[in-house]
Amino acid sequence: MTDPSDAWIDLQLAGRGILDERVLEAFRSVPRSEFVPEELAEYAHEDEPLPIGEGQTISQPYIVAVTLAALELRGDERALEVGTGSGYAAAVMSRLAREVFTVERLEPLAGSASERLARLGFENVHVRCGDGTLGWAEHAPYEAIAVAAGGPEIPEALLDQLAPGGRLVMPVGPDENSQTLVRVTREKDGRLRKDSLGAVRFVPLIGEQGWPEEGGLVRAPPPQSDAAAVSKLIHEVAEPLRDLERRSVDALIERIGGARLVLLGEATHGTSEFYRMRARISRELIERCGFDFVAVEADWPDAMRINRYVRDEPRSDVEFTPFSRFPTWMWRNEEVSEFVEWLRTHNLERRDRSRRVAFYGLDLYSMFTSIAHVLAYLDRIDPDAARVARGRYGMLTPWQEDPAAYGKAVLVGRYSSSEAAVVAMLRDMLQRRLDYAQQDGEAFFDAAQNAHVVTNAERYYRAMYYGSAASWNLRDTHMFNTLEALLNYHGPQSRGIVWEHNSHLGDAQATEMSHRGELNVGQLCRERFGDAVYAVGFGTDHGTVAAASDWDGPMQRMRVRPAHPDSYERLCHDSQVPAFLLPLRTPRRPAIRDELMQPRLERAIGVIYRPDSERMSHYFYASLPLQFDELVWFDETRAVEPLQMTRRPSPELPETYPFGL
């Protein structure tokens, strides 16, 4: 039963310090694809948790490997596992120990894991449904105990079942969001020795000697309130949007009040109504409230091309095609173009250039385009520094066509990291900021932000191979830091509008993202600015969306399936209000906030949409009122229109400016 591809084990386990050959061989002998839903089998060899049903996930292979390596199994042990899940970790452990006993609290998972393990021939694994915090006393003592969930402390029942000389590995922390992986060894004389193995984030350990069922936010599907009654309440309190362009949004603007940051989300990356409504709200905020900039989930140099256009500034010296990276339709669409033209017209009416509203990108994928902009700036302002920069950035040149390959090459030791070189370049620029900024402050700010992009992109492409949480957190932290830099650049009274996906802007602490160890821009904004942030989520039930079936695939107009019966989207659909605003921070009737507080499924469609595996691929648990201050709902939506430029914005500009089509 050897997995047909072992490369991922060398890359993700051995390449990251798992050196015990017995552990590596155990992973090679257990096909992870057999332990995930069939529709997710193609992701089985990625080092990330995957949904397995009942609101649970299969752990990252690297974390399983760290745990098993710490147990130092020799092959003759009787081992206990708490948290069976799909049975994958127990199967790997069974190749390292004589006999494995595993306890799962959720009966559907316990049943399917037992059947799967038996079918695949893991005869030395025994599954039981029960409270894992109490262990499995009938077969104690155990020479090894692995706990796949985090608790406030190690359950006494498990310590009592640990044999002399045995080892127990478990995540422990004072709360569910701060945990350390701990190994406890019972010495021959009965004393316990504890070793810390590093910071981790696990789902909560629920049971009599763990967290109570109600102690955490995201669990297996909780008992729900009467859905029909909740939908009726939504119908009563929602503010209908009968005409997106003409219907007044005065009440929303009043609720936003003096917020310094307004976060405008989207439930997909390809829905026309989401873009148009964000544009509508942004126009109102700019005209009536004096907001200073719009920052979007796009690369910095690409968005800077639009910024120069809407503020009527000279083009940069770097020739490149903006928004050419997959997915091109995300920003090169008719909806964005209409907003850009409005923003340019608005700005040209202001003779005071300092009052012109800016347009920025927050993302970090543009490593090589950003390098070109840094070099062009230094060529003009400091040729000696430009020569140094070319030497430092030149280390990255071989990877210009595929930056992700750079991260892989560094990880497996085939190429040296360029981190020191790009960090040194950024440091040098910042040390000379006074000299540079005196010559052209705005140009220096642009160049410095591009240098930040290069630094964080280099880290990001290496972090990609350390699991989804590491790369996700680095990216969202970069976007937040860029946002904070924009506020500082525009001054202490500045105000900004952000366009990103719901998953970036809704507070991650209110979703199951938090239990995967992921943070996001919305969470960081809340922690830094508190109630001066107003977050607006978007949702839809059905219609069409612009998306692809696979990464780098062609754009398709795909049909969005009606919402899952247990989702927030279904509640909104059943309210029978075609489009509406739903205040959540200060609702007209507080009962709606209380009714929606209980976690439910929520849908997220990115640039990839897989309707056939929608529940596994696109739904997660969240508490809507803790995630957003307001919800914008469109029951039926349509795909964005890819940009088809047929006229010049002005006679003196190239026909395709600023999108570079």
Side-chain angles (χ1 to χ4, degrees):
M1 191 168 19
T2 301
D3 198 305
S5 173
D6 293 339
W8 70 278
I9 295 173
D10 296 331
L11 177 66
Q12 298 169 10
L13 303 187
R16 293 166 63 187
I18 303 299
L19 304 179
D20 188 327
E21 189 54 43
R22 291 190 69 247
V23 172
L24 297 175
E25 188 55 41
F27 275 89
R28 293 187 183 100
S29 69
V30 179
R32 191 174 185 238
S33 56
E34 294 284 351
F35 293 83
V36 301
E38 183 177 354
E39 62 270 20
L40 298 181
E42 64 180 292
Y43 305 110
H45 296 155
E46 295 183 7
D47 189 47
E48 61 180 53
L50 296 172
I52 55 174
E54 305 299 320
Q56 304 298 302
T57 60
I58 182 174
S59 296
Q60 293 173 245
Y62 177 71
I63 293 297
V64 177
V66 169
T67 299
L68 295 179
L71 289 173
E72 299 177 357
L73 298 165
R74 300 179 303 274
D76 57 351
E77 296 88 354
R78 176 175 293 190
L80 171 69
E81 182 200 33
V82 175
T84 312
S86 68
Y88 176 65
V92 178
M93 186 185 290
S94 75
R95 297 303 191 227
L96 299 166
R98 174 169 53 87
E99 201 165 13
V100 176
F101 297 86
T102 179
V103 183
E104 169 58 53
R105 72 182 183 90
L106 298 173
E107 187 172 354
L109 291 183
S112 61
S114 180
E115 181 278 327
R116 183 180 299 111
L117 289 162
R119 172 171 53 82
L120 295 174
F122 294 95
E123 298 178 356
N124 61 335
V125 181
H126 314 280
V127 183
R128 173 187 179 183
C129 182
D131 183 349
T133 68
L134 303 179
W136 195 340
E138 294 90 327
H139 301 285
Y142 301 98
E143 288 79 25
I145 300 177
V147 184
E153 57 187 16
I154 298 173
E156 287 296 327
L158 298 184
L159 292 174
D160 290 343
Q161 294 173 32
L162 186 62
R167 290 163 294 280
L168 178 151
V169 176
M170 172 181 165
V172 177
D175 57 60
E176 297 178 35
N177 299 315
S178 178
Q179 301 166 347
T180 299
L181 193 63
V182 173
R183 177 175 60 188
V184 175
T185 303
R186 184 178 292 282
E187 305 287 9
K188 297 296 184 181
D189 59 6
R191 290 184 300 173
L192 298 175
R193 185 182 79 247
K194 291 186 180 181
D195 301 302
S196 173
L197 303 178
V200 291
R201 295 286 292 274
F202 275 75
V203 296
L205 177 65
I206 298 171
E208 184 178 324
Q209 295 187 23
W211 296 108
E213 177 71 33
E214 66 276 10
L217 171 64
V218 181
R219 300 283 184 260
Q224 298 291 328
S225 305
D226 178 49
V230 178
S231 293
K232 182 179 179 181
L233 187 57
I234 292 174
H235 180 93
E236 294 172 0
V237 302
E239 300 174 3
L241 284 170
R242 295 187 178 88
D243 188 315
L244 190 152
E245 293 300 329
R246 296 187 179 89
R247 177 74 180 186
S248 171
V249 291
D250 289 354
L252 170 60
I253 302 303
E254 184 177 344
R255 286 189 290 271
I256 289 172
R260 191 176 186 193
L261 283 173
V262 177
L263 313 181
L264 302 178
E266 60 182 0
T268 83
H269 277 321
T271 295
S272 178
E273 285 78 3
F274 297 161
Y275 283 83
R276 290 164 55 213
M277 187 62 180
R278 292 192 300 193
R280 170 76 193 284
I281 297 170
S282 298
R283 294 197 305 265
E284 298 285 343
L285 292 173
I286 290 168
E287 289 186 322
R288 296 164 56 177
C289 305
F291 274 70
D292 298 281
F293 63 84
V294 177
V296 305
E297 188 182 337
D299 291 328
W300 177 270
D302 301 57
M304 184 56 69
R305 173 72 67 85
I306 286 183
N307 183 54
R308 292 176 181 276
Y309 173 68
V310 299
R311 289 169 58 89
D312 196 32
E313 296 172 350
R315 295 180 64 174
S316 71
D317 297 330
V318 178
E319 288 299 327
F320 72 107
T321 303
F323 308 107
S324 58
R325 175 178 61 81
F326 174 88
T328 56
W329 67 86
M330 186 171 162
W331 297 113
R332 279 166 41 170
N333 59 61
E334 294 287 350
E335 291 80 357
V336 170
S337 180
E338 288 177 9
F339 177 71
V340 167
E341 292 304 321
W342 175 88
L343 188 56
R344 176 178 167 86
T345 300
H346 171 85
N347 281 336
L348 290 178
E349 293 172 354
R350 281 148 181 77
R351 292 185 178 180
D352 182 354
R353 304 184 74 88
S354 67
R355 294 182 55 229
R356 294 182 176 180
V357 180
F359 188 97
Y360 299 111
L362 299 174
D363 227 328
L364 52 53
Y365 292 110
S366 61
M367 183 158 66
F368 290 98
T369 307
S370 289
I371 286 174
H373 280 80
V374 173
L375 294 176
Y377 170 78
L378 292 175
D379 279 338
R380 179 168 55 84
I381 205 165
D382 189 344
D384 290 338
R387 283 190 289 273
V388 174
R390 280 187 167 80
R392 288 170 170 169
Y393 289 151
M395 299 173 64
L396 291 164
T397 303
W399 314 100
Q400 188 161 349
E401 297 301 319
D402 187 3
Y406 160 77
K408 181 177 179 180
V410 172
L411 182 63
V412 300
R414 291 193 291 106
Y415 196 78
S416 297
S417 169
S418 298
E419 180 179 19
V422 298
V423 169
M425 195 62 245
L426 174 61
R427 184 181 62 245
D428 286 356
M429 287 188 65
L430 296 180
Q431 286 175 346
R432 300 176 189 176
R433 63 160 62 107
L434 292 180
D435 293 337
Y436 290 167
Q438 283 178 354
Q439 299 180 58
D440 188 340
E442 188 165 356
F444 170 72
F445 180 69
D446 177 30
Q449 286 306 123
N450 275 304
H452 276 290
V453 168
V454 177
T455 301
N456 287 328
E458 188 275 337
R459 292 170 179 161
Y460 175 83
Y461 287 117
R462 286 187 288 112
M464 285 174 60
Y465 295 94
Y466 284 85
S468 59
S471 55
W472 174 278
N473 290 348
L474 195 156
R475 182 182 173 216
D476 271 52
T477 300
H478 169 86
M479 291 195 287
F480 170 75
N481 289 341
T482 303
L483 183 58
E484 197 168 30
L486 291 171
L487 291 172
N488 292 334
Y489 176 71
H490 282 274
Q493 303 303 316
S494 61
R495 305 174 75 184
I497 304 164
V498 182
W499 293 16
E500 293 198 82
H501 197 281
N502 284 350
S503 56
H504 291 295
L505 297 186
D507 192 335
Q509 295 180 103
T511 77
E512 67 180 66
M513 291 169 60
S514 180
H515 291 292
R516 297 199 299 264
E518 296 174 350
L519 49 75
N520 69 358
V521 173
Q523 174 185 336
L524 295 172
C525 286
R526 286 272 185 236
E527 293 172 352
R528 174 67 177 84
F529 299 104
D531 288 341
V533 175
Y534 199 87
V536 182
F538 286 64
T540 185
D541 177 74
H542 64 280
T544 59
V545 65
S549 297
D550 296 289
W551 190 261
D552 254 351
M555 191 208 88
Q556 305 172 51
R557 284 184 173 84
M558 307 175 76
R559 186 151 298 280
V560 178
R561 299 178 60 174
H564 191 283
D566 298 330
S567 67
Y568 283 114
E569 287 83 357
R570 178 57 65 87
L571 294 178
C572 293
H573 171 73
D574 289 345
S575 73
Q576 298 183 352
V577 183
F580 59 75
L581 301 175
L582 183 64
L584 296 170
R585 182 190 287 192
T586 55
R588 182 161 51 88
R589 291 180 58 183
I592 188 65
R593 181 177 170 88
D594 296 337
E595 290 292 347
L596 295 176
M597 189 70 74
Q598 190 176 60
R600 288 177 167 83
L601 290 174
E602 183 180 307
R603 181 161 57 190
I605 299 173
V607 296
I608 307 298
Y609 183 39
R610 293 192 169 112
D612 293 341
S613 62
E614 190 178 64
R615 169 61 185 88
M616 294 295 185
S617 302
H618 299 288
Y619 280 97
F620 60 96
Y621 279 94
S623 175
L624 194 66
L626 296 178
Q627 189 183 11
F628 295 108
D629 298 303
E630 186 126 357
L631 178 70
V632 177
W633 176 257
F634 297 101
D635 199 61
E636 183 173 10
T637 52
R638 60 183 177 84
V640 294
E641 289 294 330
L643 189 59
Q644 303 293 332
M645 191 71 75
T646 58
R647 59 177 176 81
R648 295 183 185 180
S650 60
E652 69 274 13
L653 290 171
E655 183 177 356
T656 58
Y657 189 76
F659 292 91
L661 291 171

